């Protein structure tokens, strides 16, 4: 792949979407060929799956159904958008990817992480990010930012969200070359400055 694949991860309220969009706008201003995506979503089919996954009324959804729906949305996004963009040499920024499934369904729900990895390799064809930015924020601070949140995942209990954060930190320890842990600061521009420093280094080395 000629392009550079960058993903953003983080638990609820970490500012992940804000920071990933800020990086996208920054790279655009620097005249890079860059596209911005979110998961689940990014294609017509994947966006419809997103609606099902996040609908708070679907509270009877099983963990297996949840995991496989995330994977289905991802399979479509990889085939329809990510691989073609990388083949053309673009920088692809994706708000969440396979690590989210490992953290939220593997560590959070207690599903078999090795099974999730096997399914992940199948739906992505082995595609993995070159750099993953993990925005780390204590769970209680992140959820405070989401007090009025209504989606199905955000409404889960505190213990679940603590397992998700702990899972992300375990993933970061497992792959330190890819995972870059960025502590979330009160000033979003301070956080963004650290992210830009990491990504500019990755772009230079790519």
């Amino acid at each position: 792949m000629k392009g550079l694949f960058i993903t953003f991860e983080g638990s609820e309220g970490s500012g992940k979407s804000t920071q990933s969009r800020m990086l996208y706008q920054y790279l655009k201003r620097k005249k890079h060929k860059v596209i911005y995506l979110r998961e689940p979503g990014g294609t017509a089919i994947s966006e419809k799956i997103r609606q099902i996954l996040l609908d708070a009324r679907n509270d009877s959804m099983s963990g297996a159904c949840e995991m496989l729906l995330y994977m289905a949305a991802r399979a479509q996004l990889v085939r329809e958008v990510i691989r073609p963009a990388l083949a053309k040499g673009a920088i692809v920024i994706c708000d969440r990817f396979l690590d989210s499934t490992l953290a939220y369904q593997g560590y959070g729900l207690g599903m078999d992480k090795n099974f999730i990895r096997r399914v992940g390799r199948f739906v992505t064809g082995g595609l993995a990010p070159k750099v993953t930015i993990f925005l780390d924020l204590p769970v209680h601070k992140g959820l405070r930012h989401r007090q009025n949140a209504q989606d199905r995942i955000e409404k889960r209990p505190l213990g679940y969200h603590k397992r998700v954060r702990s899972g992300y930190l375990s993933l970061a320890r497992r792959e330190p070359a890819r995972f870059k842990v960025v502590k979330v600061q009160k000033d979003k521009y301070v956080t963004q400055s650290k992210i830009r420093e990491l990504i500019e280094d990755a772009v230079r080395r790519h």
Side-chain angles (χ1 to χ4, degrees):
M1 289 293 176
K2 294 189 294 183
L4 178 63
F5 188 23
I6 300 165
T7 59
F8 275 73
E9 299 288 350
S11 18
E12 305 304 323
S14 62
K16 168 185 54 57
S17 300
T18 298
Q19 292 293 339
S20 55
R21 286 193 193 100
M22 286 172 72
L23 178 68
Y24 166 69
Q25 295 294 344
Y26 171 73
L27 292 174
K28 266 181 64 174
R29 289 195 301 272
K30 299 271 281 188
K31 307 301 182 187
H32 290 287
K33 182 163 62 174
V34 57
I35 67 168
Y36 178 82
L37 302 164
R38 70 172 181 178
E39 270 212 347
T43 73
I45 292 170
S46 303
E47 289 291 340
K48 287 181 179 178
I49 296 173
R50 180 187 182 89
Q51 291 171 14
I52 296 168
L53 277 163
L54 299 185
D55 189 337
R57 294 171 296 182
N58 294 333
D59 56 2
S60 63
M61 186 183 294
S62 72
C65 178
E66 177 175 301
M67 186 273 285
L68 291 168
L69 283 173
Y70 277 111
M71 290 293 193
R74 183 169 298 131
Q76 191 66 25
L77 182 63
V78 168
R79 180 179 178 183
E80 192 175 324
V81 184
I82 297 177
R83 281 194 177 277
L86 291 172
K88 292 176 183 174
I91 297 174
V92 175
I93 297 173
C94 196
D95 179 349
R96 298 201 181 283
F97 199 61
L98 181 58
D99 296 304
S100 281
T101 309
L102 285 163
Y104 279 77
Q105 285 73 51
Y107 288 91
L109 293 182
M111 295 187 69
D112 186 326
K113 291 180 280 296
N114 287 328
F115 178 69
I116 291 173
R117 288 188 175 95
R118 288 198 299 275
V119 177
R121 282 193 294 272
F122 171 70
V123 303
T124 64
L127 178 67
K130 184 71 174 179
V131 183
T132 296
I133 301 292
F134 171 58
L135 292 167
D136 189 33
L137 182 70
V139 169
H140 68 279
K141 290 185 178 179
L143 292 177
R144 191 169 64 225
H145 296 158
R146 295 293 181 90
Q147 283 175 343
N148 299 318
Q150 296 299 315
D151 88 38
R152 197 174 59 83
I153 307 298
E154 291 168 341
K155 291 174 77 171
R156 285 179 172 161
L158 183 64
Y160 169 81
H161 293 287
K162 286 184 174 179
R163 291 193 298 275
V164 169
R165 182 192 180 207
S166 175
Y168 271 127
L169 292 170
S170 294
L171 293 171
R173 287 191 293 272
R174 181 185 174 113
E175 292 187 69
R178 172 172 70 88
F179 251 91
K180 307 301 178 186
V181 179
V182 175
K183 297 288 185 185
V184 175
Q185 305 298 319
K186 281 187 178 180
D187 185 339
K188 66 182 180 181
Y189 296 103
V190 174
T191 306
Q192 178 67 196
S193 177
K194 177 61 178 174
I195 292 167
R196 290 178 185 177
E197 182 184 315
L198 290 166
I199 297 305
E200 283 175 343
D201 181 59
V203 170
R204 278 194 301 271
R205 290 187 287 106
H206 182 63

